[in-house]
Amino acid sequence: MILFEEAKEKFDKAIEHLKNELMHIRAGKADIHLLDGIMVDYYGNKTPLNQVSNINTPDARTISIQPWEKAMIPVIEKAIMEANIGLNPENNGELIRIFIPPLSEETRKELVKKVKHEGEQTRISIRNVRREILESLKKMKKEGLPEDLEKRKEEELEEMVKDYMKTIDDMLEKKEQDIMKI
């Protein structure tokens, strides 16, 4: 059924969005994905940071950014500061280092709340899609869809939603463990 293909596509997009959001929540260790979405002014064009430099994590508490051109160092520093992600870049004239400070207990709890909020937003979007599909099935039943087929499709949908909810729970649990791990 086309309805279910569309639903699966929407569910997958919701999970992908959650994955991206969780990637940007720092867990007290260096991760190059913290810098995803930072755009730098590269000769008048807004360009992703990873397209003007090499980014890596030499250790668990440091992100290293090696610009391809030394002239980009101040531009990259400015872009990181303007991104307002709570990280302070330091440069030595050759490369930029970002030291990831350990998280306090209070900060960890706040991050866990943020993770739970993102998870709940994803659950809501999945429930909304489920509601749309159920309404479509009821409409199709009025137009002649056999009742037993409608019930079977509803059960199929519920099973699909249950699987996606389990995926969300697993993702949230893993991220919470990462955040709470000292």
Side-chain angles (χ1 to χ4, degrees):
M1 261 185 133
I2 292 177
L3 274 179
F4 282 74
E5 291 169 17
E6 289 175 10
K8 185 174 178 358
E9 193 175 306
K10 289 177 181 178
F11 291 159
D12 288 341
K13 283 182 182 175
I15 295 292
E16 193 60 37
H17 177 76
L18 177 62
K19 199 177 290 181
N20 287 334
E21 290 301 313
L22 293 180
M23 221 183 292
H24 290 96
I25 297 174
R26 72 185 175 112
K29 61 183 179 206
D31 185 352
I32 62 172
H33 294 294
L34 291 172
L35 303 176
D36 286 354
I38 294 181
M39 305 294 273
V40 295
D41 185 11
Y42 186 66
Y43 298 108
N45 293 323
K46 288 289 184 190
T47 308
L49 177 59
N50 62 0
Q51 291 184 12
V52 297
S53 62
N54 289 323
I55 305 171
N56 61 42
T57 53
D59 61 55
R61 295 256 181 241
T62 310
I63 299 174
S64 173
I65 304 166
Q66 176 74 55
W68 295 332
E69 300 173 30
K70 282 188 184 181
M72 291 300 296
I73 289 176
V75 176
I76 291 172
E77 281 185 309
K78 181 180 178 203
I80 292 169
M81 295 301 283
E82 287 176 351
N84 199 19
I85 55 176
L87 301 174
N88 295 315
E90 297 176 11
N91 87 67
N92 64 5
E94 294 287 319
L95 58 92
I96 299 169
R97 283 194 184 94
I98 300 174
F99 297 102
I100 308 296
L103 297 173
S104 68
E105 189 67 25
E106 187 177 316
T107 305
R108 288 176 194 277
K109 288 178 181 173
E110 285 300 314
L111 290 174
V112 166
K113 280 184 189 174
K114 189 173 179 182
V115 165
K116 288 181 179 181
H117 173 75
E118 291 299 335
E120 190 54 36
Q121 292 303 310
T122 305
R123 284 188 187 97
I124 289 169
S125 69
I126 285 179
R127 286 186 204 115
N128 287 340
V129 172
R130 175 179 59 190
R131 185 177 34 78
E132 290 171 16
I133 300 298
L134 289 173
E135 287 171 3
S136 296
L137 283 172
K138 285 188 187 351
K139 186 177 173 189
M140 290 169 73
K141 182 181 167 197
K142 285 181 183 175
E143 295 170 359
L145 183 73
E147 190 174 326
D148 61 334
L149 182 59
E150 178 207 16
K151 289 291 178 208
R152 196 168 44 239
K153 289 299 180 185
E154 283 180 11
E155 289 169 7
E156 211 176 292
L157 178 64
E158 287 305 319
E159 196 59 40
M160 192 187 308
V161 167
K162 198 165 96 178
D163 291 344
Y164 278 96
M165 293 297 187
K166 171 97 173 79
T167 301
I168 291 169
D169 291 341
D170 293 346
M171 290 170 67
L172 296 180
E173 185 179 327
K174 184 177 184 292
K175 188 64 177 187
E176 285 179 37
Q177 286 174 352
D178 279 354
I179 291 171
M180 295 311 285
K181 188 175 10 171
I182 298 176

